[in-house]
């Protein structure tokens, strides 16, 4: 596969992210064809050198690979469902957000249509696209990824996760879980300190230090999870549970919402009841790994 800077690419879907993707390809020197239901969204890109295709089928024919970035998987299937959209032999890279099951189903659909297919996830905001800070995840056949890796590099730091098409979507939501959990923990702490007149800007550097310190524990904790052994090398869960109770009590005492710390403690309490009090915090994976009955 030729992946020189003049490799032609197509971008289907021109929301803020789709526009950023097409713009990055143009900046890298790739002839870029675009398509969007609302054609006016292509105006700036056309001014920068992109070609606006009249139909989805025309857009797909114009590029060596087609990037899909639309609202959801249903929208993708609606756009490509028409029988006159020829997909045989094409390379589709779907960067639309969705569930892992949808990604796997889409791979089967693409195979039935004779297309090569990679599923992906964008771990970045539109303004970061085209820089090393933009992490773009891909899953599916490694040969397809390697064939287009250098072209995809125009978008940012591209990463291959594995042959399972659902991996990119799973990494995406796992990343969101990390993001929201860190932000919610920071907001909880900020709310507590504001009751004593400490502003968010003062607390933020301290919170960053704590977050970085906790992040450094992850590789060691991961070894415990993967081995299924949780020796209390630093602290036992029963000790952590007492600190959780203090966090709940302090939140309630100063009039701050205690829902988040109560949730954390409830999970720990279930693990304690199951006899894991003498083990280390990662033993809670047993609680995270099973659904609640209620």
């Amino acid at each position: 596969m030729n992946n020189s800077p003049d490799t032609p690419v197509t971008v289907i879907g021109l929301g803020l992210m789709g526009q950023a993707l097409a713009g990055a390809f143009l900046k890298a020197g790739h002839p870029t064809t675009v398509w969007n239901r609302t054609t006016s969204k292509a105006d700036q890109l056309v001014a920068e050198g992109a070609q606006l295709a009249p139909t989805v089928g025309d857009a797909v024919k114009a590029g060596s690979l087609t990037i899909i970035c639309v609202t959801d998987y249903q929208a993708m299937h609606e756009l490509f469902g028409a029988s006159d959209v020829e997909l045989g032999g094409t390379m589709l890279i779907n960067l639309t957000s969705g569930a892992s099951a949808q990604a796997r189903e889409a791979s089967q659909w693409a195979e039935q249509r004779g297309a090569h297919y990679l599923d992906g996830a964008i771990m970045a905001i539109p303004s970061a696209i085209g820089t090393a800070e933009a992490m773009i995840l891909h899953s599916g056949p490694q040969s397809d990824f390697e064939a287009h890796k250098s072209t995809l590099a125009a978008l940012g730091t591209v990463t291959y996760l594995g042959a399972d098409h659902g991996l990119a979507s799973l990494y995406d939501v796992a990343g969101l879980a990390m993001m929201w959990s860190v932000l919610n923990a920071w907001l909880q702490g900020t709310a507590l300190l504001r009751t004593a007149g400490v502003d968010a800007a003062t607390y933020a550097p301290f919170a960053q230090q704590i977050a970085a310190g906790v992040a450094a524990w992850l590789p060691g904790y991961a070894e415990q999870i993967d081995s299924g052994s949780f020796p209390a090398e630093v602290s036992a869960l029963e000790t952590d549970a007492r600190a959780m109770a203090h966090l709940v009590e302090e939140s309630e005492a100063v009039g701050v919402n205690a829902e988040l710390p109560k949730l954390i403690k409830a999970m720990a309490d279930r693990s304690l009841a199951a006899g894991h009090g003498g083990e280390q915090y990662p033993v809670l994976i047993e609680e995270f790994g099973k659904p609640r009955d209620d």
Side-chain angles (χ1 to χ4, degrees):
M1 176 65 68
N2 176 21
N3 277 310
S4 65
D6 60 355
T7 300
V9 298
T10 289
V11 177
I12 304 291
L14 298 177
L16 293 177
M17 186 60 77
Q19 291 178 42
L21 298 173
F25 282 127
L26 284 169
K27 186 176 181 180
H30 293 283
T32 304
T33 299
V34 296
W35 183 91
N36 194 72
R37 287 187 191 277
T38 305
T39 57
S40 61
K41 289 189 176 182
D43 290 349
Q44 182 59 41
L45 292 167
V46 170
E48 295 172 1
Q51 296 294 316
L52 176 62
T55 68
V56 172
D58 291 328
V60 171
K61 291 177 184 177
S64 295
L65 71 158
T66 295
I67 304 293
I68 306 165
C69 187
V70 293
T71 306
D72 51 31
Y73 280 74
Q74 181 178 345
M76 180 194 74
H77 287 296
E78 290 175 353
L79 290 176
F80 289 87
S83 58
D84 60 343
V85 179
E86 178 56 50
L87 297 181
T90 61
M91 181 70 241
L92 303 178
I93 301 178
N94 186 16
L95 299 181
T96 299
S97 295
S100 58
Q102 291 177 308
R104 296 181 185 113
E105 291 168 359
S107 71
Q108 296 173 357
W109 161 83
E111 182 178 354
Q112 291 169 357
R113 294 285 295 269
H116 297 272
Y117 181 86
L118 289 171
D119 210 88
I122 302 171
M123 310 300 288
I125 58 175
S127 61
I129 297 299
T131 73
E133 285 70 36
M135 181 166 56
I136 317 294
L137 309 178
H138 299 83
S139 54
Q142 187 169 7
S143 58
D144 287 336
F145 173 76
E146 294 296 338
H148 299 280
K149 180 178 179 179
S150 61
T151 300
L152 293 169
L155 304 179
T157 301
V158 293
T159 301
Y160 176 72
L161 300 173
D164 178 0
H165 284 89
L167 283 174
S169 292
L170 286 173
Y171 267 79
D172 185 18
V173 292
L176 292 175
M178 284 292 299
M179 178 186 72
W180 287 323
S181 295
V182 171
L183 288 174
N184 286 340
W186 175 66
L187 291 171
Q188 183 76 35
T190 299
L192 284 164
L193 286 166
R194 286 176 68 189
T195 67
V198 179
D199 60 23
T202 300
Y203 174 51
F206 176 82
Q208 280 184 300
Q209 186 175 2
I210 294 293
V214 172
W217 302 347
L218 299 184
Y221 278 11
E223 290 180 5
Q224 289 195 339
I225 291 172
D226 291 341
S227 68
S229 177
F230 308 96
E233 299 166 346
V234 177
S235 176
L237 182 61
E238 57 191 8
T239 301
D240 291 326
R242 288 194 290 271
M244 293 173 192
H246 175 60
L247 174 57
V248 172
E249 292 163 3
E250 185 69 26
S251 297
E252 292 177 334
V254 298
V256 165
N257 189 305
E259 290 176 86
L260 179 59
K262 283 182 177 179
L263 173 61
I264 296 169
K265 187 173 184 302
M267 298 187 77
D269 286 343
R270 291 197 296 271
S271 189
L272 293 178
H276 299 298
E279 297 176 272
Q280 196 156 262
Y281 198 85
V283 74
L284 282 176
I285 189 65
E286 305 297 338
E287 294 300 321
F288 280 95
K290 60 188 180 185
R292 288 297 309 277
D293 293 331
D294 54 359

